Amino acid sequence: MTEFSLIEKYFKPLTNGDSVARGLADDVAKISLKKNEELVVSKDMFVENVHFLAADGGFKIASKLLRTNLSDIAAAGGKPLYYSLGFAKNKNCDEKFLKDFCRGLKELQNEFGLCLIGGDTVSSKEMFFSITIFGTIKKGKILSRNQAKDGDLIFTSGTIGDAALGLRIKLGEDFNKFDKKEKNYLLERHFFPTPQINLGIKLLEKNLSNCAIDISDGLLADLRHLCEESKLAAEIYLPKIPFSSAAQKLSNPQKLDLLSGGDDYELLFAVKPRNQKKLLDLAKSLKLNLSCIGSFKKPANKKFTITLRDEENKKITIKKFGYEHF
Ligand code: ADP
Ligand code: MG
């Protein structure tokens, strides 16, 4: 198959005929914005044997690739619209792989209402992929990492650590604590994280937060980003961290590991105490689990530290914060 027949057969259908993509026949895509809108843009790279295994197959690889990108748009409170795809194929990207890969993208396009508008295709020894995603926000209304204030409550969506456990199961670790159903649940959470798009949009719309991050490297690492950017310290409580019924089976030290596990793609965000009630109403209407895990504090001598406490309010020493890329 030539590069151009690949684009024509597999990628062009993903444009949904949207004029922005210009039929994938031009050097650029062209995006127009409404007067009161701004673009938010994010890029992720996805490398074989680092972010995925070839054995995961095209469907799961594509799905996770686009889900993690969508999660960045969620962290800004944006509405996803378009993406462009960097596609480095190797000999394992056969027709089945391509079909599955595009099916993975298409499913999410339908769920989140976005489409492909361009990209680049190359051959490589190892396969790797990259997406640049474009979303919109109302002018000036954005969630950012530096907007937490002293006294704000720290909330997280969903449950923490499932994806990290799923990865360990995928890599062959034998958890006899978990039954088959729990293992499947944890694997699903690893392969198919849920980008919290609606939550991000609603937090802005209802003026409930203007500070958020998506948890990609680990709860502690990403909370540290909020602290450093907002120039605050944080105090959080292990018994308040939401865990799935599977993860609940673990000991405290094992749970502590999950806080630096990464790949949760939940939203971590700051909320004024007076808005707590409204936030819990929002949780109900979105049918989402939103948990308060602690609060931001003025830092002592400019140290933007995280204090983690156990059931008896004793400090737990944090040894690892999250995944380090290099
Ligand atoms: P150029 O040579 O100018 O870099 P290409 O020949 O690589 O352009 O691409 C031709 C068209 O196909 C462009 O519109 C480009 O956006 C699109 N395209 C190439 N690769 C991909 C891809 N992986 N996904 C989506 N569109 C792609
Ligand atoms: Mg060109």
Side-chain angles (χ1 to χ4, degrees), residues 31-32 106 120 148 171 224 239 243 253-254 285-286 289:
I31 302 174
S32 325
K106 181 69 182 168
D120 201 19
L171 296 178
R224 187 159 65 175
F243 292 111
Q254 288 172 314
S285 75
L286 293 178
N289 192 20

Side-chain angles (χ1 to χ4, degrees), residues 59 62-63 66 99-109:
F59 182 81
S63 184
L66 188 47
K99 243 172 133 173
D100 289 344
F101 189 91
C102 292
R103 189 164 53 86
L105 295 177
K106 181 69 182 168
E107 190 181 276
L108 288 164
Q109 290 193 189

